[in-house]
Amino acid sequence: MSFPSDCDEFPPERFVYRGYSVTVHTQRNERNSWHAVIAVERDGQPVQLQVPETVVPFWSTREEAQRAGIEHARYLLDQRDGVLALRNPARPR
């Protein structure tokens, strides 16, 4: 995983979540807002996440963007592995 050099100021956060290696870093846009960039690997191979094509949320601080990116990565991985369907109380039994 390679990230732009501007993330040297704020190093990416790396963590393992249910067997996936996740890296989240933040970038600032031209309006000075922040957004998270998520990269995921498993067994050394990149994992593509199914992300709906919507407007990416922007945050006023880097810390907000970082926290949101970590939460979003976990959500997307849970969705990918079907964990969300198992937790849904409305699902048929």
Side-chain angles (χ1 to χ4, degrees), residues 72-92:
H72 195 214
R74 289 179 176 149
Y75 173 83
L76 292 171
L77 290 169
D78 285 348
Q79 182 180 43
R80 172 188 169 85
D81 291 346
V83 174
L84 295 180
L86 295 174
R87 292 182 185 162
N88 183 352
R91 75 180 169 93

Side-chain angles (χ1 to χ4, degrees), residues 18-60:
R18 294 189 310 98
Y20 295 94
S21 298
V22 181
T23 303
V24 177
H25 84 278
T26 54
Q27 290 181 330
R28 205 183 304 225
N29 69 7
E30 64 279 351
R31 294 187 186 125
N32 236 9
S33 295
W34 293 89
H35 71 98
V37 178
I38 300 167
V40 179
E41 290 183 351
R42 184 173 233 169
D43 299 325
Q45 298 299 312
V47 174
Q48 297 299 316
L49 299 175
Q50 297 293 337
V51 181
E53 292 193 33
T54 60
V55 176
V56 175
F58 291 99
W59 306 95
S60 58

